[in-house]
Amino acid sequence: MKELYAESTHKAGAFLDELYQSEEKYKTGWARDAKRNVAFANGDQSIDPSAAPIWVDDDPVVNKHANARQNSYQGDEIESIIRVLVSYMTRSKPVAETFADSKDEKSKNIAKVAQRIVEAKYDIDHEYENSRMAARLGLIVGTVFGEDYWDRNKGGYVPNEDGQGQPVLDDQGQQTSQQTGNNAVAIHTPLSISVDHSVVDFKDQPYIGKHAVVDVDWAREQFEQNEPGYTGKAADIKEDGSVTGSLSILEDMKFAIPRKGSSNEIKIKNKCLMSTWFIAPNRMQPTGRMLIKCGNQWVYDSAQTEE
């Protein structure tokens, strides 16, 4: 996959677009099954896509199949099974220990402080809730992905300073500030993750893609940066108007939107699709590569630096 390491952002991005579209062709059908599994795990046993009522202009069109489905009894044993298995999988708190790297008192004290931090972060980062979510989704859809990342939108605010330690002012002469950021954890389902399905071992993946629906104004603000890697196209980000495929089904699950006929399309206002691609390191790019696409614009490429 030498195209992933092409010098041109456009060429590498075009190859990634092709990968994403090819994956969606077979992934959407699986996503419908996953949606049904999630419904049953939530206790909704009356989910029959072939007989569900069709919605037209936000009004249901009732048909005899829908009436028959509503009036018939269907048992659901999956909900209780999932609940029991999740309780078994998460009843023990994970053990994480820190050790001093030497026998001197300073190293021992550092290890003790680190141990306290690890224990505190378990509660601060809501690790128990994340573990239950991971267990539940893993049982329902087959697998889950965990992501550790640095969230710039977390933490307190600190004043901006230039290289000489002087405050950075805005157009009104007021000192600007920014958030410090903090580590964060996210649980993803395969509906929002792209991988090379021919690779068995996860660590050998040549690329990993992460997809989400985000606010257009948020995306413009995040990627309007005068820093290496940013392409300067943040102002051209526009709303997609609709999201189709497996990601629209994921949005269905998140917001419990009623099924609308056979079309897997969610209308969105002031939203766009954001895709973040992580490319594995190779000889020419030993630190790997990251590309980000928002609203049909490639807004970031770690391989591109200021000239």
Side-chain angles (χ1 to χ4, degrees):
M1 296 184 179
K2 61 181 181 180
E3 294 87 352
L4 295 175
Y5 305 94
E7 293 185 7
S8 169
T9 300
H10 177 74
K11 185 175 181 180
F15 184 72
L16 290 171
D17 285 339
E18 184 179 347
L19 287 176
Y20 181 68
Q21 293 166 5
S22 298
E23 184 184 52
E24 283 295 293
K25 290 180 181 179
Y26 69 86
K27 198 176 191 179
T28 302
W30 171 82
R32 296 194 193 100
D33 293 335
K35 180 181 178 181
R36 182 183 179 89
N37 293 345
V38 170
F40 269 83
N42 287 337
D44 181 10
Q45 67 269 21
S46 297
I47 177 73
D48 187 355
S50 62
I54 300 174
W55 286 65
V56 178
D57 296 329
D58 294 327
D59 292 321
V61 177
V62 181
N63 55 67
K64 62 180 181 180
H65 297 291
N67 286 333
R69 175 175 61 82
Q70 295 292 342
N71 294 329
S72 62
Y73 172 79
Q74 298 186 50
D76 179 12
E77 297 181 0
I78 296 179
E79 180 187 13
S80 58
I81 294 174
I82 294 293
R83 189 167 58 244
V84 170
L85 290 177
V86 168
S87 67
Y88 275 119
M89 295 171 67
T90 59
R91 61 182 176 179
S92 298
K93 180 179 178 179
V95 177
E97 295 186 62
T98 58
F99 301 92
D101 60 356
S102 65
K103 295 182 178 181
D104 61 81
E105 289 301 318
K106 183 178 179 180
S107 296
K108 292 179 180 179
N109 290 332
I110 292 175
K112 291 178 181 178
V113 173
Q115 182 68 39
R116 294 290 182 88
I117 293 174
V118 169
E119 293 172 356
K121 293 293 285 182
Y122 182 83
D123 295 323
I124 294 173
D125 293 340
H126 309 290
E127 288 293 340
Y128 178 68
E129 290 80 0
N130 286 330
S131 64
R132 288 187 62 85
M133 181 187 300
R136 183 174 179 277
L137 290 174
L139 289 167
I140 297 170
V141 300
T143 188
V144 290
F145 298 88
E147 179 189 13
D148 296 311
Y149 64 101
W150 188 261
D151 190 346
R152 293 183 176 181
N153 298 313
K154 289 187 174 183
Y157 284 87
V158 295
N160 289 324
E161 296 180 349
D162 59 18
Q164 286 72 41
Q166 298 299 316
V168 177
L169 307 179
D170 59 18
D171 297 336
Q172 287 74 39
Q174 301 294 322
Q175 185 172 11
T176 61
S177 62
Q178 64 178 352
Q179 286 183 276
T180 59
N182 202 347
N183 68 294
V185 178
I187 306 299
H188 301 288
T189 73
L191 297 177
S192 60
I193 298 294
S194 296
V195 294
D196 185 346
H197 295 269
S198 65
V199 177
V200 178
D201 198 329
F202 188 76
K203 71 177 185 296
D204 295 330
Q205 283 289 337
Y207 63 85
I208 299 174
K210 181 182 67 172
H211 315 285
V213 177
V214 300
D215 184 80
V216 170
D217 295 331
W218 175 88
R220 290 172 180 168
E221 180 181 352
Q222 291 294 312
F223 298 107
E224 190 62 50
Q225 306 285 341
N226 187 23
E227 299 289 341
Y230 292 90
T231 62
K233 296 183 178 180
D236 298 327
I237 296 175
K238 296 179 175 61
E239 70 176 43
D240 288 325
S242 64
V243 175
T244 60
S246 61
L247 202 60
S248 71
I249 297 177
L250 177 61
E251 294 297 299
D252 274 354
M253 296 180 191
K254 290 164 58 179
F255 301 107
I257 299 175
R259 183 180 174 83
K260 301 182 179 181
S262 59
S263 176
N264 292 307
E265 179 175 320
I266 298 300
K267 299 294 182 181
I268 51 179
K269 182 67 175 177
N270 199 35
K271 301 287 184 180
C272 64
L273 175 64
M274 182 177 76
S275 296
T276 305
W277 295 89
F278 304 94
I279 312 302
N282 72 345
R283 180 176 57 83
M284 299 182 63
Q285 296 185 17
T287 59
R289 187 178 191 177
M290 181 173 74
L291 298 98
I292 302 177
K293 184 178 184 180
C294 266
N296 291 319
Q297 298 292 332
W298 290 100
V299 294
Y300 181 83
D301 181 2
S302 63
Q304 305 299 325
T305 59
E306 289 183 340
E307 298 180 355

